[in-house]
């Protein structure tokens, strides 16, 4: 039962353009959402998060949007840079059940110079 | 650098053996989480400890066990190893309701 899904295994974008990574979830108990970036041979690095009481959170070039009615969130990276090339994981937690993270399968983002 | 350390970085062992993976959380973090990333699966939650006590269990096999010590470091023990246990094992730490910060992982290869 895949409760968090990232339906695009890969995304290729030109440097300077916008990257949009998508994530869907099924568990309505999830109330906290996070995005992580992962390079090969390294652990996931926290990027940005959003609570279910908000619909948008910005941090520099990164913005996360949450649509609770659609059970959908997205990560926007503007402008995209070659150093952003990595695997991006969406994760969700239900704080009432202990903050364990449920991860999506990941999306490989490639930003071409 | 997340501040979470894991040792060893790589581990190669044989089927049937037992290994121990170690994790030191970020200073001040009371929670330690263990995750497994296999080739054919994403990151799967294994177990969560908070200040020495087990808080939640995920898809953790009975052959696996963990503990968190008074100094807050944690160990994940894997026994009767099988080929399918080959994976990356990540430890993360954090505050109870905050972002989790991941260590660099331990790559386990079972031959």
């Amino acid at each position: 039962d895949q409760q968090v899904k990232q339906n695009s295994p890969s995304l290729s974008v030109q440097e300077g353009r916008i990257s949009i990574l998508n994530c869907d979830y099924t568990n309505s108990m999830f109330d906290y959402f996070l995005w992580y970036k992962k390079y090969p041979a390294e652990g996931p690095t926290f990027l940005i998060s959003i609570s279910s009481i908000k619909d948008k959170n910005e941090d520099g070039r990164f913005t996360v949007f949450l649509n609770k009615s659609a059970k959908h969130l997205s990560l926007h990276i503007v402008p995209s840079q070659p150093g952003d090339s990595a695997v991006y994981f969406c994760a969700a937690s239900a704080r009432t059940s202990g903050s364990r993270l449920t991860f999506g399968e990941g999306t490989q983002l490639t930003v071409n110079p | 650098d997340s501040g979470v350390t894991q040792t060893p970085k790589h581990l190669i062992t044989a089927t049937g053996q037992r290994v121990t993976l170690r994790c030191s959380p970020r200073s001040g973090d009371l929670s330690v989480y263990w995750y497994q990333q296999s080739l054919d699966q994403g990151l799967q939650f294994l177990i969560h400890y908070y200040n020495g006590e087990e808080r939640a269990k995920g898809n953790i096999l009975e052959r696996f066990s963990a503990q968190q010590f008074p100094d807050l470091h944690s160990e994940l023990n894997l026994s009767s190893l099988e080929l399918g246990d080959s994976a990356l094992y990540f430890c993360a730490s954090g505050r109870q309701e905050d972002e989790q910060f991941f260590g660099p992982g331990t790559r386990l290869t079972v031959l």
Side-chain angles (χ1 to χ4, degrees):
Chain A
D1 176 24
Q2 191 69 24
Q3 297 185 60
V4 178
K5 290 185 180 180
Q6 294 175 254
N7 291 318
S8 299
S10 63
L11 174 68
S12 186
V13 169
Q14 209 62 28
E15 180 179 7
R17 307 295 287 266
I18 184 171
S19 295
I20 300 176
L21 297 103
N22 293 302
C23 178
D24 297 294
Y25 63 97
T26 56
N27 188 340
S28 57
M29 297 299 292
F30 288 147
D31 55 9
Y32 196 66
F33 304 89
L34 308 91
W35 284 94
Y36 285 83
K37 179 170 74 172
K38 188 179 181 304
Y39 295 114
E42 294 183 13
T45 301
F46 169 74
L47 272 178
I48 192 168
S49 62
I50 187 166
S51 164
S52 59
I53 62 173
K54 294 185 175 181
D55 55 18
K56 178 182 173 182
N57 189 26
E58 275 184 87
D59 185 1
R61 297 187 297 115
F62 302 92
T63 302
V64 56
F65 295 92
L66 175 63
N67 182 334
K68 282 187 296 183
S69 61
K71 293 191 174 68
H72 176 84
L73 64 155
S74 61
L75 175 68
H76 293 211
I77 306 174
V78 180
S80 301
Q81 299 173 354
D84 295 329
S85 297
V87 178
Y88 288 77
F89 289 96
C90 165
S93 73
R95 290 181 174 180
T96 53
S97 59
S99 299
R100 72 174 77 177
L101 295 178
T102 301
F103 282 86
E105 307 93 326
T107 297
Q108 171 70 57
L109 173 66
T110 303
V111 181
N112 301 302
Chain B
D1 185 356
S2 67
V4 178
T5 60
Q6 288 186 250
T7 57
K9 196 170 178 65
H10 301 278
L11 200 48
I12 301 174
T13 188
T15 54
Q17 295 298 305
R18 182 179 188 275
V19 297
T20 297
L21 313 183
R22 183 188 168 100
C23 168
S24 292
R26 293 187 317 159
S27 177
D29 286 353
L30 301 180
S31 273
V32 169
Y33 305 81
W34 286 96
Y35 293 85
Q36 179 193 55
Q37 185 180 25
S38 306
L39 272 178
D40 58 348
Q41 291 188 354
L43 282 148
Q44 301 284 326
F45 168 74
L46 293 177
I47 198 164
H48 169 208
Y49 275 84
Y50 178 80
N51 201 21
E53 292 187 4
E54 181 185 303
R55 279 298 179 92
K57 266 187 175 179
N59 299 321
I60 187 166
L61 300 170
E62 285 191 12
R63 300 183 286 109
F64 295 2
S65 65
Q67 54 185 327
Q68 187 179 28
F69 294 88
D71 67 353
L72 300 177
H73 91 271
S74 177
E75 293 180 355
L76 179 66
N77 301 296
L78 316 177
S79 61
S80 303
L81 285 168
E82 302 175 358
L83 295 177
D85 298 327
S86 296
L88 272 165
Y89 291 85
F90 290 103
C91 164
S93 77
R95 290 160 183 94
Q96 185 66 26
E97 294 181 352
D98 209 339
E99 299 86 10
Q100 294 179 23
F101 296 87
F102 283 76
T106 293
R107 180 175 293 280
L108 174 66
T109 303
V110 182
L111 300 175

